[in-house]
Amino acid sequence: MENPAGKKSILIVDDEASFCFSACVALRGKGYRVTEAADGRQALAAVLESRQRGDPFDLIVTDIRMPEL
């Protein structure tokens, strides 16, 4: 099912909670739907779930070095 509101969706992946919080607040304030993940495993699960819903992320912002994957 596609996003009925037409908002672009972004996945933020970072193990630094303060960065995730700040990025999510800023992006939500601009009208984006934001999901956050603290590591690679959570990010992979979120990506797979979004694809199964038929509503994949429009953008993924990720840290390069993180625990897990």
Side-chain angles (χ1 to χ4, degrees):
M1 171 189 300
E2 225 172 281
N3 176 10
K7 288 184 176 182
K8 298 294 183 181
S9 62
I10 300 174
L11 174 62
I12 302 292
V13 187
D14 201 305
D15 57 331
E16 287 188 38
S18 60
F19 173 78
C20 281
F21 177 79
S22 298
C24 288
V25 168
L27 291 168
R28 286 180 182 134
K30 296 291 184 182
Y32 295 100
R33 289 183 306 129
V34 182
T35 301
E36 54 187 296
D39 61 42
R41 290 187 195 276
Q42 288 179 9
L44 181 57
V47 167
L48 293 174
E49 182 181 316
S50 72
R51 290 187 68 191
Q52 286 177 346
R53 285 192 317 258
D55 185 24
F57 292 104
D58 295 296
L59 176 68
I60 298 174
V61 178
T62 184
D63 189 359
I64 294 174
R65 293 189 178 157
M66 288 183 303
E68 305 297 323
L69 300 175

